[in-house]
């Protein structure tokens, strides 16, 4: 057993539940044996923008549309998101193209608002230690996408999930999105070993965000393939029709064309390696 | 000039205001030329406990009483704080011994409650990137103690302060409390260079928390002396009559006796080095 | 272009040479389009041990036999390696099974000795900044496997390669083996983004060591698949017939059986994805 | 007792020897109760330069002259040091002004050469894990100044000292010089808590290098005061008559004038706090 294998987290641990959690949203299933791709812009910028992206990513095989309406920005002078207006556009675009929608909530005061518009509620890296938000998220009847904190250990991350589950919500998707290290070439260091490590420690699904994980557009497809190969249950990827014109995260955003090629290759991998992740060790 | 010396943070920078910010609360002044010691338990545990500690730390020379009522704990199964009851005890103990009171707020929903009981509102490390909370703290008419995030750069920390100031509250105290590194002997790595570095970058006062900064009781006094010597405007220290019995942070909590000896030595340093921090470089 | 794309490293950069470096040793080619697997024990422990492992890893498809004779151990009381005796056994076992041999050198004084016994000379993480050793390695007529330093940036790592090439040796293989971060569950954090990032910055081949990169046996196969998927030119893997009895690095060493299954799966990936790594971005 | 208090390091631990190690070189004593200042240029650049600096730092109260002759530079195209010529100048300047001399050795092959010219042999950060060099340094009859590795834990650092002592040399001075973290404003993060932490773990003296520890000239004096206050047994500081014209480490080098003012203030602290470091905890 692993170092973390004590009873500190009771509900999210493999000991508590050996079967993997499968999260069903309509006809979509997120969890072991499935590979769910969530794609879309960093920020919802306009109705036109989000509809255009929804169309592209849907055509390429994504099943969840991402788009930020409340944006956690380092500077108060940067674009803070369209708020409720952005959520409306996101919902409409998702509906139009048969996608699920995911968006971030940053404050307990906005939880019910965001919950009304999306299918999956994201708690971002900067709020992974926001225990008030975690507790309230545990009372919502929608799946929670819980991103790893900038410098959170696996233990702390799983404990954050435990807060949510202990408060009543068992539908949690963990998202590895890179950690803060001394390396400055990449925005973060994408810790792909988190995927198999967490699969040992928890029954919850784990997806990977190669966009924030690298911060560099040209590295996104390669890291997405690696995320598939390592056994992740899905991806979250930033896509924009004109990546350089993105209002936020431009450097790490890929175009619909690159996204399409990337998805094609992932489908090839899927066709071959389905059901082959288990390996005796 | 420094690498961070661009206009990214407009209000908190030295360029915006060359004179140091002095924060006056009643007869207490926090800022350049003063050395304010905030001391008390990690958590308010009972009326008896906080009164006992208030008496001790007041006698030793502290002027601000700290005590957590809403506790950000890694695990949902750990003590979460006494909430409003804890705030009542804290206020009463502070009043009894002529101290100011500081306590942490973790949620925008609790801001006005906490604000009613304390003189200084703490935003903790885990919420330094909680931009909703920062914005609301900017609308409160009480000084904010803003702790550095677990892995926040100086730039991000100052930007968090900028959020508060931009929203209307100019009274911000920065608190260095250690950052997360690879070293595991200490709980965190206390980055004392942050003090002179921030003094170049901002007009805001900077204090140091050697308790969280080291996580080890035996290192607290030495690091407190170093914090004084490096030019900090104060300390935040965890003190408990029976450190080993603290409900939280026991390993890093010192006794009133050690606190008293430490304060005696700091007063000696103060008597000699007042007004001597400036040095041509 | 990338942040590192200045002329600081002149010889190892893509600007200096756009075609990938292919390193030929006998009939083996290491570099773009090939996937070379180096496997063997952390330490050569005995003639029997290394012959047994050589047989296993050769049968499974490895083409290079690794085995430490001079061991950089944290404690002087740990096994320091068999030295010249170990090199003899390693060479004999490699010859017997038609493998190339790689082993680490830790001191300029041992360079010519090690060079007499192996086909590839390893400079380990702890000596990546040992500039005297790098300069001398530049004068040897054998390929150098240069592991990334424990906390070396890409820039510093490429500069270490530049030292070797500038001194006359163009045959350098870079090996990502995990970096030191705050996470303690894994021994290191394997930075797979280094592979595509370095492919943009340099013409040198990049391989991955998932054994040191994770420190945990059960994570090695998954990370090996990810290394293949991300575009690495090979692997270095620790294999021992009785992993738990390894004299060093036991926790991260896999058995010949697991290695065999892992290699089988990698061959499947190879058969499909050969020549598909290029993707427009 | 502390987490590190097992028997892993036998000779350097407090358990092995409770009395602090005092290192006597001529009339100089380095260790508990003393505060030794080592100052000089990053690199010896010329006879004139090192004599000028020796005169200044001697006048200001330093007793050891530092100066690099073999320089570990990230790039092979940077100045690599004057080698033997630099050592000659260093020795002559030290003799002229009654100073001891310290300089770095990077290779076992240079140990006896360097040893002929200096009183204290420095093993730098980049070679702290160079076990061959540590073992050879253990056979030299001169004190060793062992700098902490860029990302070395206290445990690894003490184990490196154990290598030296186990090989026969008990005269080791530990030097905290900053560790690598995510913060980029400073060159490194100076971990002053290492001083009291190591004083609990080992009987060896610990000094502090605020020049490499911060990388920024304006922070050096403040951090030097903090190093004194925290209980260090000395300093190593980079001083150059024309800091901006230093051939290496210009940004972190202070002028003789600043050094003089800094030393004056440290002497004031010394006059007061001598023998006051012990505090019950």
């Amino acid at each position: 057993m692993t170092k973390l294998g004590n009873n500190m987290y009771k509900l999210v641990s493999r000991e508590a539940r050996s079967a993997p959690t499968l999260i069903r949203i309509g006809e979509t299933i997120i969890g072991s044996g499935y590979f769910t791709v969530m794609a879309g812009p960093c920020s919802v910028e306009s109705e036109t923008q989000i509809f255009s992206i929804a169309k592209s990513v849907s055509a390429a095989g994504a099943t969840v549309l991402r788009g930020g309406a409340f944006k956690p920005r380092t500077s108060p002078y940067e674009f803070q998101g369209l708020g409720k207006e952005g959520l409306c556009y996101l919902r409409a675009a998702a509906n139009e193209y048969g996608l699920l929608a995911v968006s971030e909530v940053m404050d307990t005061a906005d939880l019910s608002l965001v919950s009304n518009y999306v299918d999956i509620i994201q708690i971002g890296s900067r709020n992974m230690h926001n225990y008030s938000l975690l507790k309230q998220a545990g009372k919502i009847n929608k799946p929670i996408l819980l991103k790893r904190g900038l410098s959170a250990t696996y233990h702390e991350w799983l404990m954050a999930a435990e807060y949510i589950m202990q408060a009543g919500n068992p539908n949690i998707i963990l998202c590895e999105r890179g950690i803060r290290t001394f390396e400055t070439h990449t925005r973060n260091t994408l810790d792909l070993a988190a995927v198999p490590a967490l699969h040992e420690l928890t029954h919850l699904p784990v997806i990977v965000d190669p966009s924030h994980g690298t911060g560099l557009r040209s590295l996104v497809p390669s890291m997405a393939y690696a995320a598939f190969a390592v056994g992740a249950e899905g991806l979250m990827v930033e896509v924009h029709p004109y990546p350089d014109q993105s209002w936020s995260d431009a450097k790490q955003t890929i175009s619909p064309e690159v996204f399409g090629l990337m998805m094609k290759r992932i489908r090839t991998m899927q066709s071959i390696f389905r059901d082959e992740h288990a390996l005796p060790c």
Side-chain angles (χ1 to χ4, degrees), chain A residues 58-168:
Chain A
S58 167
T63 54
V64 184
L65 181 65
R66 68 151 284 156
F70 295 97
K71 299 299 306 172
R73 306 303 301 274
T74 301
S75 164
Y77 307 113
E78 294 173 304
F79 175 56
Q80 305 279 312
L82 294 182
K84 186 176 173 181
E85 186 188 353
L87 292 172
C88 288
Y89 298 153
L90 178 72
R91 181 74 268 165
N95 286 350
E96 177 73 16
Y97 293 99
L99 298 165
L100 300 175
V102 58
S103 197
E104 179 170 356
V105 66
M106 293 164 57
D107 191 347
T108 53
D110 298 324
L111 248 183
S112 64
L113 171 70
V114 175
S115 174
N116 286 338
Y117 285 92
V118 302
D119 304 291
I120 303 170
I121 294 167
Q122 177 181 320
I123 294 181
S125 277
R126 290 170 185 74
N127 282 298
M128 194 210 81
H129 294 288
N130 181 341
Y131 300 115
S132 295
L133 185 57
L134 297 174
K135 286 177 185 175
Q136 292 304 314
K139 296 175 183 163
I140 294 287
N141 190 23
K142 293 261 166 109
I144 306 295
L145 179 77
L146 180 64
K147 288 196 151 189
R148 184 180 185 180
L150 272 78
S151 62
T153 61
Y154 302 161
H155 174 74
E156 292 168 335
W157 189 10
L158 288 172
M159 272 301 187
E162 185 84 9
Y163 264 98
I164 298 170
M165 194 171 293
Q166 202 263 346

Side-chain angles (χ1 to χ4, degrees), chain A residues 20 45 52 79 98 132 142 159 180 219 222 251 261 274:
Chain A
E45 297 169 7
S52 160
F79 175 56
S132 295
K142 293 261 166 109
M159 272 301 187
R180 184 157 281 186
L219 307 183
S222 302
K251 285 189 185 170
L261 290 166
R274 202 182 305 272

